[in-house]
Amino acid sequence: MGGTDIKAALFDASGAMLGLTRVPTPHRGVHTVDAVMQEIAELTAGFAADFPLVQPLAVGLIAPGIVDDDRGIGIHAANLQWADAPFKHLAEKRLGMPASFSHDVRAAGEAEFRLGAALPYRDVAVVVIGTGIAASLFIGGRPHSAGGYAGELGHSIVDPAGELCACGSTGCLETIASAGAIVRRYERATGSKMPGAKEIIERARNGDSEAQSIWNDALDALALSIAQLAAVLAPEAIVIGGGLAQAGDALLVPLRTRVDNLLSFQRLPVVVAASIGENAGLLGAALLARAAAVAAGMRP
Amino acid sequence: MGGTDIKAALFDASGAMLGLTRVPTPHRGVHTVDAVMQEIAELTAGFAADFPLVQPLAVGLIAPGIVDDDRGIGIHAANLQWADAPFKHLAEKRLGMPASFSHDVRAAGEAEFRLGAALPYRDVAVVVIGTGIAASLFIGGRPHSAGGYAGELGHSIVDPAGELCACGSTGCLETIASAGAIVRRYERATGSKMPGAKEIIERARNGDSEAQSIWNDALDALALSIAQLAAVLAPEAIVIGGGLAQAGDALLVPLRTRVDNLLSFQRLPVVVAASIGENAGLLGAALLARAAAVAAGMRP
């Protein structure tokens, strides 16, 4: 469930994605949770009609914001009007099967950790850079969520004298280094409308000095946050996903150099791209749904 | 084992500290490890003579630097000339009893976590601020050491355009906010020799504008690092120990205000003083020695 769309898919026992549907998220003020649950029930019924031979055993829901994965509660989401919404419980009651409810970025991290680029590591941060920035942390091989509050790397302050962030703080990493911030900063500096961060990185490569300055600031800020993670948590690897990761080596190569330059004796983390792609969140939700089914005594 | 002294104590089964001895650390170049082990053997023999009724079951060694607690190896220490020194193994062979070898700050953290101010929390950072700054992290109720590289909060960069740090990086937290940095900065600014950070904090309180500026910079930098921890790890509490913690409310009250001002939706950590005092490291070493005895099948 996102601020704009609800994306849904059916996964079979082999992990194959059998259907992918997208419906607009209903925004209904205090009735948003009810309306969202109604959409989920309809999506589930749609899968049952489209794939009559697949019997779903569990449902995995994910959302942005502050999510208490352990209790399956949506505590708060900036673009979705709910507070302390017990989605795991609501889904189990409504759909009559075990359910999980987790954070979208932690679910994507789960997919990268179980099946993707984070698989070789026990101490690893999966950093998703898109409109905002958030991380999924695995420490000693276990996810760390801190009741839903961990991993908000985008709201780690890198420039206390910087730009006001939507969260209310000043100089958060995502005001400088998210794809959204890169576009916003370039548009503000030049007055020209841009489709995305990709085009600005391209302009930087082609010598546009405004684009270069904004892209360099983004790389510096990201490298600083990664170096801080390296000093405190010492992850073996940083796996970067989300829209900005599509820049590939244009992101990874200068980022690695900067991180290396900032560190001294610390463990230098491997910095690599996520490998699962844009459906990592859905796949992670499926993995977490399977865990809920196992916890309920099923053998999916 | 520190750069200057080796401190040693005997603990009985009730946790009472029966003896406390301090000998200079022998610096013997490539023979430092041998010389240190000789001192440890003599200290142990001294305890046996002084406390004939106490039969030691295990020995717990601790040291600064990069320490691999799990394997009991001293990887590197700036002020001690060793590399990959297998202290746990050496102590077990030399003293004929189970041994542990851990990091001094992680041992102090262990004492605070098992018996002190960190006891109520599962996600907590024990931050020791003295000559340098280092943290002991507990995540989901378990210590996180990352092969010895975790917790180097003092070498988390807060000002990339700042002062060169002894570690080789620039603008590390401990170049601004350690007790050592506060003294160094004040002496450099005023030309007057100071006994410690305590006197500078006192001068700040009495209106000395140079002292105020340096103390404010230290508080700002500490608050920034704690806010970054809050965004990423979301600890329930930050427990502050070491020499600077003796400033008490002069440190804690303005630090809490600053952390609160920096954060928005994040979990606001409780910021409290460590409760065990200067022998937390020794007590932690004893707790880790006891764990080594239990692991060896003893019942201390």
Coordinates of all heavy atoms in Angstrom, one line a residue, chain A residues 66 76 122-123 137 139-142 144-147 149-153 155-160 167-170 172 224 227-235 261-267, chain B residues 66 76 122-123 137 139-142 144-147 149-153 155-160 167-170 172 224 227-235 261-267:
Chain A
I66 N 5.7 4.6 9.7 CA 6.2 3.9 10.9 C 5.3 2.6 11.1 O 4.1 2.7 11.3 CB 6.1 4.7 12.2 CG1 7.0 6.0 12.0 CG2 6.6 4.0 13.4 CD1 8.5 5.8 11.9
H76 N 1.9 5.1 11.8 CA 1.8 6.4 11.2 C 2.3 6.3 9.8 O 3.3 5.6 9.5 CB 2.6 7.4 12.1 CG 2.8 8.7 11.4 ND1 1.8 9.7 11.4 CD2 3.8 9.2 10.7 CE1 2.3 10.7 10.7 NE2 3.5 10.5 10.2
R122 N 25.8 -11.0 6.8 CA 25.0 -11.0 8.1 C 24.8 -9.6 8.6 O 23.8 -9.4 9.3 CB 25.7 -11.9 9.1 CG 25.7 -13.4 8.8 CD 26.5 -14.1 9.8 NE 26.2 -13.9 11.2 CZ 25.2 -14.4 11.9 NH1 24.4 -15.3 11.3 NH2 24.9 -14.1 13.1
D123 N 25.7 -8.7 8.4 CA 25.6 -7.3 8.8 C 25.5 -6.5 7.6 O 26.5 -6.2 6.9 CB 26.8 -6.9 9.7 CG 26.9 -7.6 11.0 OD1 25.8 -7.8 11.6 OD2 28.0 -8.0 11.4
L137 N 17.8 -2.7 7.9 CA 19.1 -3.2 8.6 C 19.0 -4.6 9.0 O 18.0 -5.1 9.6 CB 19.3 -2.3 9.9 CG 19.4 -0.8 9.7 CD1 19.5 -0.2 11.1 CD2 20.5 -0.4 8.8
I139 N 21.3 -7.1 11.3 CA 22.4 -7.1 12.2 C 22.6 -8.5 12.8 O 21.7 -9.1 13.4 CB 22.1 -6.1 13.3 CG1 22.1 -4.7 12.7 CG2 23.2 -6.1 14.5 CD1 21.7 -3.5 13.6
G140 N 23.8 -9.1 12.6 CA 24.0 -10.4 13.1 C 23.0 -11.4 12.4 O 22.6 -12.4 13.0
G141 N 22.6 -11.1 11.2 CA 21.7 -12.0 10.4 C 20.3 -11.8 10.8 O 19.4 -12.6 10.2
R142 N 19.9 -10.8 11.6 CA 18.5 -10.6 12.0 C 18.1 -9.2 11.6 O 18.8 -8.3 11.8 CB 18.3 -10.9 13.5 CG 18.8 -12.2 13.9 CD 18.3 -12.6 15.3 NE 18.5 -11.6 16.3 CZ 18.1 -11.7 17.5 NH1 17.5 -12.8 17.9 NH2 18.4 -10.7 18.4
H144 N 16.6 -5.6 12.1 CA 16.5 -4.7 13.2 C 15.4 -3.7 12.9 O 15.6 -2.9 12.0 CB 17.8 -4.1 13.5 CG 17.7 -3.0 14.6 ND1 17.2 -3.3 15.9 CD2 17.9 -1.7 14.6 CE1 17.2 -2.2 16.6 NE2 17.6 -1.2 15.9
S145 N 14.3 -3.7 13.6 CA 13.2 -2.7 13.3 C 13.0 -1.7 14.4 O 12.4 -0.7 14.2 CB 11.9 -3.4 12.9 OG 11.3 -4.0 14.0
A146 N 13.3 -2.1 15.7 CA 13.1 -1.2 16.8 C 11.7 -0.7 16.9 O 11.5 0.5 17.0 CB 14.1 0.0 16.8
G147 N 10.8 -1.6 16.8 CA 9.3 -1.2 16.9 C 8.9 -0.4 15.8 O 7.8 0.3 15.9
Y149 N 10.9 2.0 14.2 CA 11.6 3.3 14.1 C 13.0 3.2 13.6 O 13.6 4.2 13.3 CB 11.6 3.9 15.5 CG 10.2 4.4 16.0 CD1 9.4 3.6 16.7 CD2 9.8 5.7 15.6 CE1 8.1 4.1 17.0 CE2 8.6 6.1 15.9 CZ 7.7 5.3 16.7 OH 6.5 5.8 17.0
A150 N 13.5 2.0 13.4 CA 14.9 1.9 12.8 C 14.9 2.1 11.3 O 13.9 1.9 10.6 CB 15.4 0.5 13.2
G151 N 16.1 2.4 10.8 CA 16.3 2.4 9.4 C 15.9 3.7 8.7 O 16.0 3.8 7.5
E152 N 15.6 4.8 9.5 CA 15.2 6.0 8.8 C 16.4 6.9 8.4 O 16.6 8.0 8.8 CB 14.3 6.8 9.8 CG 12.9 6.2 10.0 CD 12.0 6.3 8.8 OE1 12.3 7.0 7.8 OE2 10.9 5.7 8.9
L153 N 17.2 6.2 7.6 CA 18.5 6.9 7.2 C 18.2 8.2 6.5 O 19.0 9.1 6.6 CB 19.2 5.9 6.3 CG 20.7 6.3 5.9 CD1 21.6 6.3 7.1 CD2 21.2 5.4 4.8
H155 N 16.3 10.4 7.3 CA 16.1 11.4 8.3 C 17.2 11.5 9.3 O 17.0 12.0 10.4 CB 14.7 11.3 8.9 CG 13.6 11.4 7.9 ND1 13.2 12.6 7.3 CD2 12.9 10.5 7.2 CE1 12.3 12.4 6.4 NE2 12.1 11.1 6.3
S156 N 18.4 11.0 8.9 CA 19.6 11.2 9.6 C 20.1 12.5 9.1 O 20.2 12.8 7.9 CB 20.6 10.0 9.3 OG 21.8 10.2 10.0
I157 N 20.4 13.4 10.0 CA 20.8 14.8 9.7 C 22.3 14.8 9.2 O 23.1 14.4 9.9 CB 20.6 15.7 10.9 CG1 19.1 15.8 11.2 CG2 21.1 17.1 10.6 CD1 18.8 16.5 12.5
V158 N 22.5 15.3 8.0 CA 23.9 15.4 7.5 C 24.3 16.9 7.5 O 25.5 17.2 7.4 CB 24.1 14.8 6.1 CG1 24.0 13.3 6.3 CG2 23.1 15.3 5.1
D159 N 23.4 17.8 7.5 CA 23.7 19.3 7.4 C 22.7 20.1 8.3 O 21.7 20.5 7.8 CB 23.6 19.7 5.9 CG 24.0 21.2 5.8 OD1 24.4 21.8 6.8 OD2 23.8 21.8 4.7
P160 N 23.1 20.2 9.6 CA 22.2 20.9 10.5 C 21.8 22.3 10.1 O 20.9 22.9 10.6 CB 23.0 20.9 11.8 CG 24.0 19.9 11.7 CD 24.4 19.8 10.2
C167 N 9.8 16.3 7.3 CA 9.5 15.7 8.6 C 9.6 16.7 9.7 O 9.2 16.4 10.8 CB 10.6 14.6 8.8 SG 12.2 15.2 9.4
G168 N 10.0 17.9 9.4 CA 10.1 18.9 10.5 C 11.5 19.2 10.9 O 11.8 20.2 11.6
S169 N 12.5 18.3 10.6 CA 13.9 18.5 11.0 C 14.6 19.3 9.9 O 13.9 19.6 8.9 CB 14.6 17.2 11.2 OG 14.1 16.6 12.4
T170 N 15.8 19.6 10.1 CA 16.6 20.4 9.1 C 17.8 19.6 8.7 O 18.5 19.0 9.5 CB 17.1 21.7 9.8 OG1 15.9 22.4 10.2 CG2 17.9 22.6 8.8
C172 N 18.1 16.8 6.8 CA 18.0 15.4 6.7 C 18.7 14.9 5.3 O 18.6 15.6 4.3 CB 16.6 14.9 6.7 SG 15.8 15.2 8.2
L224 N 28.8 10.4 3.3 CA 28.9 10.8 4.7 C 28.0 9.9 5.5 O 28.5 9.3 6.6 CB 28.6 12.2 4.9 CG 28.7 12.8 6.3 CD1 30.1 12.6 6.9 CD2 28.3 14.2 6.4
A227 N 29.5 6.4 5.6 CA 30.7 6.4 6.5 C 30.3 6.4 8.0 O 31.0 5.7 8.8 CB 31.6 7.6 6.2
Q228 N 29.3 7.2 8.3 CA 28.8 7.2 9.7 C 28.3 5.8 10.1 O 28.5 5.3 11.2 CB 27.7 8.2 9.9 CG 28.3 9.6 9.8 CD 27.2 10.7 9.6 OE1 26.1 10.4 9.2 NE2 27.6 12.0 9.8
L229 N 27.5 5.1 9.2 CA 27.1 3.8 9.4 C 28.3 2.8 9.6 O 28.3 2.0 10.5 CB 26.3 3.2 8.2 CG 24.8 3.5 8.1 CD1 24.2 2.9 6.8 CD2 24.1 2.9 9.3
A230 N 29.3 3.0 8.8 CA 30.5 2.1 8.9 C 31.2 2.3 10.2 O 31.6 1.3 10.8 CB 31.5 2.5 7.7
A231 N 31.2 3.5 10.7 CA 31.9 3.7 12.0 C 31.1 3.1 13.2 O 31.6 2.5 14.1 CB 32.1 5.2 12.3
V232 N 29.8 3.2 13.1 CA 28.9 2.8 14.2 C 28.5 1.4 14.1 O 28.6 0.6 15.1 CB 27.7 3.8 14.4 CG1 26.8 3.3 15.5 CG2 28.2 5.2 14.7
L233 N 28.0 1.0 13.0 CA 27.4 -0.4 12.8 C 28.4 -1.3 12.2 O 28.3 -2.6 12.3 CB 26.1 -0.4 12.0 CG 24.9 0.0 12.7 CD1 23.7 -0.1 11.8 CD2 24.6 -1.0 13.9
A234 N 29.3 -0.8 11.4 CA 30.3 -1.6 10.6 C 29.6 -2.7 9.8 O 30.0 -3.9 9.9 CB 31.3 -2.2 11.6
P235 N 28.7 -2.3 8.9 CA 28.1 -3.4 8.1 C 29.1 -3.9 7.1 O 30.1 -3.1 6.7 CB 27.0 -2.6 7.3 CG 27.4 -1.2 7.3 CD 28.1 -1.0 8.7
N261 N 37.4 7.4 0.8 CA 38.2 8.6 1.3 C 37.8 9.0 2.7 O 38.7 9.6 3.4 CB 38.0 9.7 0.3 CG 38.7 9.5 -1.0 OD1 39.6 8.7 -1.1 ND2 38.3 10.2 -2.1
L262 N 36.6 8.8 3.1 CA 36.1 9.3 4.4 C 36.6 8.4 5.5 O 36.8 8.9 6.6 CB 34.6 9.4 4.4 CG 34.0 10.6 3.6 CD1 32.5 10.4 3.6 CD2 34.4 11.9 4.2
L263 N 36.8 7.1 5.2 CA 37.1 6.2 6.3 C 38.6 6.0 6.5 O 39.4 6.3 5.6 CB 36.5 4.8 6.0 CG 35.0 4.8 5.9 CD1 34.4 3.4 5.6 CD2 34.4 5.2 7.3
S264 N 39.0 5.6 7.7 CA 40.4 5.3 8.0 C 40.5 3.8 8.3 O 40.6 3.0 7.5 CB 40.9 6.3 9.0 OG 40.2 6.2 10.2
F265 N 40.5 3.5 9.7 CA 40.7 2.1 10.1 C 39.4 1.3 10.1 O 39.4 0.1 10.3 CB 41.2 2.2 11.6 CG 40.2 2.7 12.5 CD1 39.3 1.8 13.1 CD2 40.0 4.1 12.7 CE1 38.3 2.3 14.0 CE2 39.1 4.6 13.6 CZ 38.2 3.7 14.2
Q266 N 38.2 2.0 9.8 CA 37.0 1.3 9.9 C 36.8 0.2 8.8 O 37.5 0.2 7.8 CB 35.8 2.3 9.7 CG 35.7 3.3 10.8 CD 36.4 4.6 10.4 OE1 37.3 4.6 9.6 NE2 36.0 5.7 11.0
R267 N 35.9 -0.7 9.1 CA 35.7 -1.8 8.1 C 35.0 -1.1 6.9 O 33.9 -0.5 7.0 CB 34.7 -2.8 8.7 CG 34.3 -3.9 7.7 CD 34.0 -5.2 8.4 NE 32.7 -5.3 9.0 CZ 32.2 -6.4 9.5 NH1 32.9 -7.5 9.5 NH2 31.0 -6.3 10.1
Chain B
I66 N 40.8 -2.3 18.1 CA 39.9 -3.2 17.4 C 40.1 -4.6 18.0 O 41.2 -5.2 17.9 CB 40.2 -3.3 15.9 CG1 40.1 -1.9 15.3 CG2 39.3 -4.2 15.2 CD1 38.7 -1.2 15.3
H76 N 44.1 -4.8 16.6 CA 44.9 -3.6 16.4 C 44.6 -2.7 17.6 O 43.5 -2.6 18.1 CB 44.6 -2.9 15.1 CG 45.1 -1.5 15.0 ND1 46.4 -1.2 14.6 CD2 44.5 -0.3 15.2 CE1 46.6 0.1 14.6 NE2 45.5 0.7 15.0
R122 N 16.5 -2.9 25.8 CA 17.0 -4.0 24.9 C 17.8 -3.3 23.7 O 18.7 -3.9 23.1 CB 15.8 -4.8 24.3 CG 15.2 -5.8 25.3 CD 14.0 -6.4 24.7 NE 14.2 -7.1 23.5 CZ 14.8 -8.3 23.3 NH1 15.2 -8.9 24.4 NH2 15.0 -8.8 22.1
D123 N 17.4 -2.1 23.3 CA 18.1 -1.4 22.3 C 18.7 -0.2 22.9 O 18.0 0.8 23.2 CB 17.1 -0.9 21.1 CG 16.5 -2.1 20.4 OD1 17.3 -3.0 20.1 OD2 15.3 -2.1 20.0
L137 N 27.1 -1.2 21.7 CA 25.8 -1.2 21.2 C 25.1 -2.5 21.6 O 25.7 -3.6 21.5 CB 25.7 -1.2 19.7 CG 26.4 0.0 19.0 CD1 26.4 -0.1 17.5 CD2 25.7 1.3 19.4
I139 N 21.6 -4.5 20.6 CA 20.5 -4.4 19.7 C 19.6 -5.6 19.9 O 20.1 -6.8 19.8 CB 21.1 -4.3 18.2 CG1 21.8 -3.0 18.1 CG2 20.0 -4.5 17.2 CD1 22.6 -2.9 16.8
G140 N 18.3 -5.4 20.1 CA 17.5 -6.5 20.4 C 18.0 -7.3 21.6 O 17.8 -8.6 21.7
G141 N 18.6 -6.7 22.6 CA 19.1 -7.4 23.8 C 20.4 -8.1 23.6 O 20.9 -8.8 24.5
R142 N 21.1 -7.9 22.4 CA 22.3 -8.6 22.2 C 23.4 -7.6 21.8 O 23.2 -6.7 21.1 CB 22.2 -9.7 21.1 CG 21.1 -10.7 21.3 CD 21.2 -11.9 20.5 NE 21.3 -11.6 19.0 CZ 21.4 -12.5 18.1 NH1 21.4 -13.8 18.4 NH2 21.5 -12.1 16.8
H144 N 26.3 -5.9 19.9 CA 26.7 -5.9 18.4 C 28.1 -5.5 18.3 O 28.5 -4.3 18.7 CB 25.8 -5.0 17.6 CG 26.2 -4.8 16.2 ND1 26.3 -5.9 15.3 CD2 26.6 -3.8 15.5 CE1 26.7 -5.5 14.2 NE2 26.9 -4.2 14.2
S145 N 29.0 -6.3 17.9 CA 30.4 -5.9 17.8 C 31.0 -5.9 16.3 O 32.0 -5.3 16.1 CB 31.3 -6.8 18.7 OG 31.4 -8.1 18.1
A146 N 30.3 -6.6 15.4 CA 30.7 -6.7 14.0 C 32.2 -7.0 13.9 O 33.0 -6.3 13.2 CB 30.4 -5.3 13.3
G147 N 32.6 -8.1 14.5 CA 34.0 -8.5 14.4 C 35.0 -7.6 15.0 O 36.2 -7.6 14.8
Y149 N 34.5 -4.1 14.9 CA 34.5 -2.8 14.2 C 33.3 -1.9 14.6 O 33.3 -0.7 14.2 CB 34.6 -3.0 12.7 CG 36.0 -3.5 12.3 CD1 36.3 -4.8 12.2 CD2 37.0 -2.6 12.0 CE1 37.5 -5.3 11.8 CE2 38.3 -3.0 11.6 CZ 38.5 -4.4 11.6 OH 39.8 -4.8 11.2
A150 N 32.4 -2.4 15.3 CA 31.2 -1.6 15.6 C 31.4 -0.7 16.8 O 32.3 -0.9 17.6 CB 30.0 -2.6 15.9
G151 N 30.6 0.3 16.9 CA 30.7 1.2 18.1 C 31.7 2.3 18.1 O 31.8 3.0 19.0
E152 N 32.3 2.5 16.9 CA 33.4 3.6 16.9 C 32.7 4.9 16.6 O 33.0 5.7 15.7 CB 34.4 3.3 15.8 CG 35.2 2.0 16.1 CD 36.3 2.3 17.2 OE1 36.5 3.4 17.6 OE2 37.0 1.3 17.6
L153 N 31.8 5.3 17.5 CA 31.1 6.5 17.4 C 32.0 7.7 17.4 O 31.7 8.7 16.7 CB 30.1 6.7 18.6 CG 29.1 7.8 18.5 CD1 28.1 7.6 17.4 CD2 28.3 8.0 19.8
H155 N 34.6 8.0 15.9 CA 35.1 8.2 14.5 C 34.0 8.2 13.5 O 34.2 8.0 12.3 CB 36.2 7.1 14.2 CG 37.4 7.3 15.2 ND1 38.3 8.3 15.1 CD2 37.7 6.6 16.3 CE1 39.2 8.2 16.1 NE2 38.8 7.1 16.8
S156 N 32.8 8.6 13.9 CA 31.8 9.0 13.0 C 32.0 10.4 12.7 O 32.1 11.3 13.6 CB 30.4 8.7 13.7 OG 29.4 9.1 12.9
I157 N 32.0 10.7 11.4 CA 32.3 12.1 11.0 C 31.1 13.0 11.1 O 30.0 12.8 10.6 CB 32.8 12.1 9.5 CG1 34.1 11.3 9.4 CG2 33.0 13.5 9.0 CD1 34.5 11.0 8.0
V158 N 31.3 14.1 11.9 CA 30.2 15.1 12.0 C 30.5 16.4 11.3 O 29.6 17.2 11.1 CB 29.9 15.4 13.5 CG1 29.3 14.2 14.2 CG2 31.2 15.8 14.3
D159 N 31.8 16.6 10.9 CA 32.1 17.9 10.2 C 33.2 17.6 9.2 O 34.4 17.7 9.5 CB 32.6 18.9 11.2 CG 33.0 20.2 10.6 OD1 32.7 20.3 9.3 OD2 33.5 21.1 11.2
P160 N 32.8 17.2 8.0 CA 33.8 16.8 7.0 C 34.8 17.9 6.6 O 35.9 17.6 6.1 CB 32.9 16.5 5.7 CG 31.6 16.3 6.2 CD 31.4 17.2 7.5
C167 N 43.0 9.4 13.7 CA 42.8 8.2 13.0 C 43.1 8.4 11.5 O 43.1 7.4 10.7 CB 41.3 7.7 13.1 SG 40.1 8.6 12.2
G168 N 43.2 9.6 11.0 CA 43.5 9.8 9.6 C 42.3 10.5 8.9 O 42.5 11.0 7.8
S169 N 41.1 10.3 9.5 CA 39.9 11.0 8.9 C 39.8 12.4 9.3 O 40.7 12.9 10.1 CB 38.7 10.2 9.3 OG 38.6 9.0 8.6
T170 N 38.8 13.1 8.8 CA 38.7 14.5 9.2 C 37.3 14.8 9.8 O 36.3 14.2 9.3 CB 38.8 15.4 7.9 OG1 40.1 15.2 7.3 CG2 38.6 16.9 8.2
C172 N 36.0 13.9 12.8 CA 35.4 12.8 13.6 C 34.8 13.4 14.9 O 35.4 14.4 15.4 CB 36.5 11.8 14.0 SG 37.1 10.8 12.6
L224 N 24.2 15.8 17.6 CA 24.0 15.4 16.2 C 24.3 13.9 16.0 O 23.5 13.2 15.4 CB 25.0 16.3 15.3 CG 24.9 16.0 13.8 CD1 23.5 16.2 13.2 CD2 26.0 16.8 13.0
A227 N 21.4 12.1 17.5 CA 20.2 12.2 16.6 C 20.3 11.2 15.4 O 19.4 10.6 14.9 CB 20.0 13.6 16.1
Q228 N 21.6 11.1 14.9 CA 21.8 10.2 13.7 C 21.6 8.7 14.2 O 21.0 8.0 13.5 CB 23.2 10.4 13.2 CG 23.4 11.7 12.5 CD 24.8 12.1 12.2 OE1 25.7 11.6 12.8 NE2 25.0 13.1 11.3
L229 N 22.1 8.4 15.4 CA 21.8 7.1 15.9 C 20.3 6.8 16.1 O 19.8 5.8 15.8 CB 22.4 6.9 17.3 CG 23.9 6.5 17.5 CD1 24.2 6.5 18.9 CD2 24.1 5.1 16.8
A230 N 19.6 7.9 16.5 CA 18.1 7.7 16.8 C 17.4 7.5 15.4 O 16.5 6.7 15.4 CB 17.6 9.0 17.4
A231 N 17.8 8.1 14.4 CA 17.2 7.9 13.1 C 17.5 6.5 12.5 O 16.6 5.9 12.0 CB 17.7 9.0 12.0
V232 N 18.7 6.0 12.7 CA 19.1 4.8 12.0 C 18.8 3.6 12.9 O 18.2 2.6 12.5 CB 20.5 4.8 11.6 CG1 21.0 3.5 11.0 CG2 20.7 6.0 10.6
L233 N 19.2 3.6 14.2 CA 19.1 2.5 15.1 C 17.9 2.6 16.0 O 17.5 1.5 16.5 CB 20.4 2.3 15.9 CG 21.5 1.6 15.3 CD1 22.7 1.5 16.3 CD2 21.1 0.2 14.9
A234 N 17.5 3.8 16.3 CA 16.3 4.0 17.2 C 16.5 3.4 18.5 O 15.6 2.6 19.0 CB 15.0 3.6 16.5
P235 N 17.6 3.6 19.2 CA 17.8 3.0 20.5 C 16.8 3.6 21.5 O 16.4 4.8 21.3 CB 19.2 3.4 20.9 CG 19.5 4.6 20.2 CD 18.8 4.5 18.9
N261 N 15.5 18.8 20.0 CA 15.3 19.8 18.9 C 15.7 19.3 17.6 O 15.1 19.7 16.6 CB 16.2 21.1 19.2 CG 15.6 21.9 20.4 OD1 14.4 21.8 20.7 ND2 16.4 22.7 21.0
L262 N 16.6 18.4 17.5 CA 17.1 17.8 16.2 C 16.1 16.8 15.6 O 16.0 16.7 14.4 CB 18.5 17.2 16.3 CG 19.6 18.2 16.5 CD1 20.9 17.4 16.8 CD2 19.8 19.0 15.3
L263 N 15.4 16.1 16.5 CA 14.5 15.0 16.0 C 13.1 15.5 15.7 O 12.6 16.5 16.2 CB 14.5 13.9 17.1 CG 15.8 13.2 17.3 CD1 15.7 12.1 18.4 CD2 16.3 12.6 16.0
S264 N 12.4 14.8 14.8 CA 11.0 15.1 14.6 C 10.2 13.8 15.0 O 9.8 13.7 16.1 CB 10.8 15.5 13.1 OG 11.3 14.5 12.2
F265 N 9.9 12.9 14.1 CA 9.0 11.8 14.3 C 9.8 10.6 15.0 O 9.2 9.6 15.4 CB 8.4 11.3 13.0 CG 9.4 10.7 12.1 CD1 9.7 9.4 12.1 CD2 10.1 11.6 11.2 CE1 10.7 8.9 11.2 CE2 11.1 11.1 10.3 CZ 11.3 9.7 10.4
Q266 N 11.1 10.7 15.0 CA 11.9 9.5 15.4 C 11.7 9.2 16.9 O 11.2 10.1 17.7 CB 13.4 9.8 15.3 CG 13.8 10.0 13.8 CD 13.8 11.5 13.4 OE1 13.1 12.3 14.0 NE2 14.6 11.8 12.3
R267 N 12.0 8.0 17.3 CA 11.9 7.7 18.7 C 13.0 8.5 19.5 O 14.2 8.3 19.2 CB 12.2 6.2 18.9 CG 12.2 5.7 20.3 CD 11.7 4.3 20.4 NE 12.8 3.3 20.1 CZ 12.6 2.0 20.3 NH1 11.5 1.5 20.8 NH2 13.6 1.2 20.0

